[in-house]
Amino acid sequence: MAVCVAVIAKENYPLYIRSIPTENELKFHYMVHTSLDVVDEKISAMGKALVDQRELYLGLLYPTEDYKVYGYVTNSKVKFVMVVDSSNTALRDNEIRSMFRKLHNSYTDVMCNPFYNPGDHIQSSRAFDSMVTSMMIQVC
Amino acid sequence: MADPALFEFLHTEMVAELWAHHSDPGPGVSAGPRGEEARAAAGKKMSLCVLEGMGFRVGQALGERLPQETLAFREELDILKFLCKDLWVAVFQKQMDSLRTNHQGTYVLQDNSFPLLIRMASGLQYLEEAPKFLAFTCGLLRGALCILGIKSLVTASVASLPTCKFQVVIQKT
C-alpha cells in the first residue's frame, strides 16, 4: 500500500499529490521533488539505450531507510511517483506495476473529461480520488 | 467500436452549425458594404478557429488514451508513425496512405480517400467547400502532437477530392 502518490506534469509541476499521514506532509513533498531528478536521469538513459527496452515503468527510483520510491512515465511525459513503506516487504514488483497501471487508466479518464483542462490541478475528480484512496495504506 | 458513420454525421452537423453563424462575428468590425465582406471573412476565420480548437482538445484526449499500452516513443518519427497508423485507424478505420518528410521538421501526410470528404464528391467539384471539413482534423493532429510533446503547426490542402494532404511543421523553440 502506498504512503504517498503524486502526479507530475510534463513541465515538472505537481498536478496531484496526496500522502496518508497528513502531518509531516512536507517530507513527502520533498521526497517526490528529489525523485524527479532520478526520473529525468532514467528517461534520458532510456533514450540513449539502443535496446528495445522503452518501458513506461521505471522501477525503484531510490530507497531511503524508511521508504522506497517508485516511478512511471507516460508517453505524454506525465510522471507518476509513488512512495511506499519499506517495512511492507510483501509488496512485489508486479503489484507496483498494477498500481501504476490503475493510476494511468484513471489519469487517462480524467484527461478525457471535457470539464478538465489539460494542465490544471486534478481537484474535482471524485473517481480519481477514490482510486487513490483505495491504493493507500489503511492508517487508523 | 462504434459505427464510423456516427462520427461522420456529427462532424457534418458541427461544420454546418458553426458555418451558419459566421455572418455575425460580433462588434468591432466596421459597417458598410466593405464591412460586410470583412465581417464575413472574420466570421469564417472564427468558425475555422473554433473547429480547430475542438479538434485540438479531442486530439489531446486521444493522444493520452491511445498510446497507453505501447512502449515509450523514441523519436519524432515514431510519433508521426503512430499518428498515421494508430490514431488514423482509431478515428477513421483506415491508415494514412503516405507519410513524407524533408528530415528538417516538415512532414506531409497524405490520405487518398479521406472519409470525411469521400461522401461529397470525387474530383474537382466542391473544392472551395472542402477546407472547412478539414479544420477539425487539423486540430486533432495538432492536439495529439502537443500532448506527446511536439509543438507544431498543421495545415491541410486539397487538390482534388477525396485526396487531401496534411502538412505538419514542427516548431522549434
Side-chain angles (χ1 to χ4, degrees):
Chain A
M1 294 291 127
V3 165
C4 169
V5 171
V7 178
I8 317 280
K10 185 163 57 180
E11 294 86 4
N12 286 336
Y13 64 87
L15 289 174
Y16 184 87
I17 182 162
R18 202 163 124 207
S19 39
I20 262 297
T22 38
E23 74 283 340
N24 227 350
E25 236 178 18
L26 207 57
K27 178 177 74 175
F28 292 118
H29 288 207
Y30 183 67
M31 248 197 258
V32 170
H33 189 254
T34 50
S35 67
L36 286 179
D37 273 332
V38 187
V39 171
D40 276 335
E41 248 181 66
K42 293 224 174 197
I43 295 182
S44 56
M46 194 164 68
K48 296 199 183 66
L50 297 168
V51 187
D52 218 26
Q53 276 244 12
R54 303 159 289 141
E55 272 213 347
L56 301 178
Y57 175 66
L58 299 174
L60 183 65
L61 297 178
Y62 70 92
T64 63
E65 67 280 5
D66 287 327
Y67 301 104
K68 294 208 252 247
V69 184
Y70 290 90
Y72 181 100
V73 70
T74 66
N75 265 315
S76 49
K77 299 290 168 281
V78 165
K79 302 143 186 121
F80 300 135
V81 175
M82 202 182 313
V83 181
V84 298
D85 215 317
S86 260
S87 55
N88 200 343
T89 46
L91 217 53
R92 284 179 335 207
D93 207 45
N94 281 342
E95 290 173 19
I96 308 271
R97 274 179 202 261
S98 71
M99 277 158 76
F100 273 126
R101 207 169 310 132
K102 273 201 302 192
L103 244 181
H104 195 174
N105 284 336
S106 299
Y107 175 71
T108 312
D109 286 338
V110 167
M111 193 57 169
C112 293
N113 184 351
F115 297 112
Y116 171 74
N117 293 319
D120 287 349
H121 278 268
I122 304 178
Q123 53 203 14
S124 48
S125 169
R126 269 185 261 174
F128 194 77
D129 277 334
S130 61
M131 188 266 329
V132 172
T133 314
S134 72
M135 281 197 329
M136 292 188 132
I137 209 169
Q138 257 83 54
V139 174
C140 52
Chain B
M1 220 177 31
D3 221 352
L6 294 176
F7 172 60
E8 284 171 32
F9 289 147
L10 181 64
H11 181 260
T12 313
E13 283 310 307
M14 256 166 34
V15 175
E17 182 64 23
L18 287 170
W19 210 250
H21 291 297
H22 86 248
S23 48
D24 186 22
V29 188
S30 56
R34 200 109 56 87
E36 287 289 332
E37 293 170 25
R39 250 203 300 268
K44 279 192 188 122
K45 246 178 153 186
M46 182 71 109
S47 324
L48 288 179
C49 280
V50 171
L51 273 173
E52 216 253 352
M54 287 162 80
F56 184 77
R57 182 68 183 92
V58 174
Q60 283 185 316
L62 276 180
E64 190 67 52
R65 198 177 273 285
L66 289 179
Q68 213 172 334
E69 300 304 316
T70 60
L71 302 172
F73 292 125
R74 229 202 305 233
E75 45 168 31
E76 219 167 69
L77 196 57
D78 280 343
I79 299 186
L80 266 295
K81 285 195 208 158
F82 159 77
L83 285 190
C84 293
K85 295 192 188 146
D86 301 312
L87 186 85
W88 225 244
V89 166
V91 183
F92 299 116
Q93 288 78 39
K94 68 184 276 287
Q95 286 191 9
M96 188 75 82
D97 291 309
S98 94
L99 167 68
R100 287 200 296 267
T101 174
N102 69 353
H103 293 291
Q104 265 144 32
T106 306
Y107 295 86
V108 177
L109 292 72
Q110 180 167 333
D111 192 332
N112 291 331
S113 56
F114 190 51
L116 298 177
L117 293 180
I118 205 166
R119 307 278 165 217
M120 284 200 285
S122 165
L124 298 172
Q125 195 186 15
Y126 295 129
L127 203 58
E128 325 75 53
E129 314 288 339
K132 58 182 182 274
F133 287 90
L134 300 172
F136 183 86
T137 317
C138 288
L140 192 75
L141 287 170
R142 192 166 68 92
L145 282 168
C146 172
I147 211 68
L148 293 170
I150 301 184
K151 268 204 166 31
S152 59
L153 203 65
V154 181
T155 49
S157 63
V158 183
S160 84
L161 276 65
T163 304
C164 62
K165 291 202 185 113
F166 296 95
Q167 187 184 38
V168 177
V169 178
I170 315 274
Q171 318 272 288
K172 298 258 183 276
T173 43

